[in-house]
Each structure stands twice: as C-alpha cells, then as structure tokens.
Amino acid sequence: RWRFTPESSCDVDWRRLRAPPDLVINAVMFATHTSVAGSRNSAFHGQVRWNSSKETSKEGRALTSQVFMVKKWKKQAVNENGKPIRVRMHVKKGDTVVVIAGKDKGQVSQVEEVFTKTGQVLVKDVNKKVKHSKPVQEGEAGQIREMEFPIHHSNVMHYSKEKQVRSRVGYKVDSDGKKTRYLVKTGEQLD
C-alpha cells in the first residue's frame, strides 16, 4: 500500500485523474526494470488501479476510479467515460489522396487504414521504412522487411484522378436525408 500525493514524483498525471489530493491510493504497479518497493521514483507501465469506495467526496459520493496508463510519453487522452477520444478526420478507408507534406510529397495513393485514436492514416506505398524483426520460434531466422507506416491525416488531401487536381472535401445532404461527401473543386461525389 502506497500513499501518494500530487507532489509525489510518480508517473500519474493528477490533473487528468480528477482525484482529491488527500486521497489514499492503493496502486498495483508493474515495474519495468526496478522494483516499485525499492524506489518511489520507479518507472512503471501497465495498469494503475485504485479503489477508494470507503472514502466519500464532499457531495457524499463514493470515489471509485480506474486508470489505464501506457508509457508516459504515449498517454492517450480519454473522455469522462474513460474511453479514448477519437479524432475526427476528413478521409476514409479507400479514398484517393495526395501527400502534401513530408518526404513523399506529391505522391498519389489510396488510404488503406484509418487510426481514429491517433489521427493517423496508412497510405499505400507512402512512408516506407525498414523493420528489423527478431526470430520468434527456435530455428527461425530474423527478417528485414520494408513496411508502410502511418502518417498524420493533415498531411494528405483528396485527389481527383479525372481532373488531376487536389481538393478539400465538402458535405451535402440529399432530399432523402443522406449525407454525402464531394470534392469542392470538381464537384465529384466520393460516396
């Protein structure tokens, strides 16, 4: 059992937790290299859980919460329900786009996958890198593979193959009440 205060040097972001400063926290930590018992400043990852149902807030509600943490430089923003906040994006899977920034600037390709948690998209033959993987099973050899990695959705724009021009996307509502996307510059329907 550990007693933490907001001034304690640990990896918990107290502003996000919305917990009162005098809250007693029972934390289960999974140490990476150093033992938690040995040092208060130990690096940890995995789950941090606390349950303070015995204590109540000023309004009389029981204080119970749960936090899922990853590496401290990769904290995921969460909403009030504890679920990741999704990023609204202007592209969907299967859209034809042109890269407008980065080393692959000017390349026209298709969106293969959309990652709404991070706001990134995987575009075919864009942002290729070499991935070295170790052998998993005994007798297996390691591999060096060239893979595509995601880029931020703001670095791509929709592209019209007919008119050979890039464009922003607009939205129209049909008489049936169905919302459709179109290219602003050319008027092409996307879906």
Side-chain angles (χ1 to χ4, degrees):
R1 182 175 171 145
W2 290 78
R3 289 183 78 89
F4 286 114
T5 62
E7 293 77 30
S8 301
S9 51
C10 63
D11 293 337
V12 178
D13 186 356
W14 291 93
R15 288 163 294 173
R16 187 181 297 161
L17 300 182
R18 300 187 187 104
D22 56 344
L23 185 62
V24 177
I25 294 175
N26 296 325
V28 179
M29 297 183 183
F30 302 94
T32 50
H33 299 294
T34 57
S35 70
V36 176
S39 168
R40 278 191 172 217
N41 299 327
S42 301
F44 68 94
H45 70 283
Q47 291 182 349
V48 178
R49 291 183 180 176
W50 71 89
N51 188 352
S52 60
S53 55
K54 293 175 186 172
E55 299 189 28
T56 56
S57 65
K58 291 177 184 175
E59 295 87 22
R61 294 179 304 182
L63 299 170
T64 57
S65 294
Q66 191 174 38
V67 172
F68 295 94
M69 293 187 68
V70 291
K71 295 174 185 171
K72 82 177 174 184
W73 59 88
K74 289 188 179 180
K75 283 182 184 161
Q76 179 71 47
V78 293
N79 60 17
E80 60 274 359
N81 296 330
K83 295 189 176 178
I85 296 173
R86 305 287 176 171
V87 179
R88 281 193 68 199
M89 289 192 273
H90 65 290
V91 290
K92 290 184 179 180
K93 185 177 177 179
D95 287 351
T96 303
V97 294
V98 61
V99 181
I100 60 172
K103 64 179 183 180
D104 297 310
K105 183 176 179 177
Q107 191 167 340
V108 178
S109 192
Q110 275 199 330
V111 176
E112 290 188 332
E113 200 170 345
V114 176
F115 304 101
T116 54
K117 285 184 185 178
T118 58
Q120 294 183 316
V121 290
L122 188 68
V123 185
K124 188 177 182 182
D125 296 328
V126 170
N127 196 22
K128 283 193 162 189
K129 295 179 184 176
V130 175
K131 171 92 174 165
H132 297 258
S133 56
K134 290 185 177 181
V136 179
Q137 296 175 348
E138 197 174 316
E140 189 180 45
Q143 294 180 342
I144 300 173
R145 295 178 293 158
E146 194 176 32
M147 298 173 62
E148 298 141 356
F149 283 81
I151 59 174
H152 198 264
H153 72 96
S154 65
N155 293 334
V156 296
M157 265 183 102
H158 285 89
Y159 188 77
S160 169
K161 284 191 174 178
E162 293 174 7
K163 305 261 177 106
Q164 301 288 312
V165 67
R166 69 185 194 185
S167 171
R168 290 180 293 115
V169 68
Y171 299 92
K172 285 181 186 173
V173 180
D174 294 343
S175 57
D176 303 335
K178 186 179 176 186
K179 191 176 181 180
T180 57
R181 300 181 303 150
Y182 71 99
L183 297 182
V184 172
K185 231 175 224 182
T186 61
E188 277 181 52
Q189 291 286 330
L190 291 175
D191 50 7

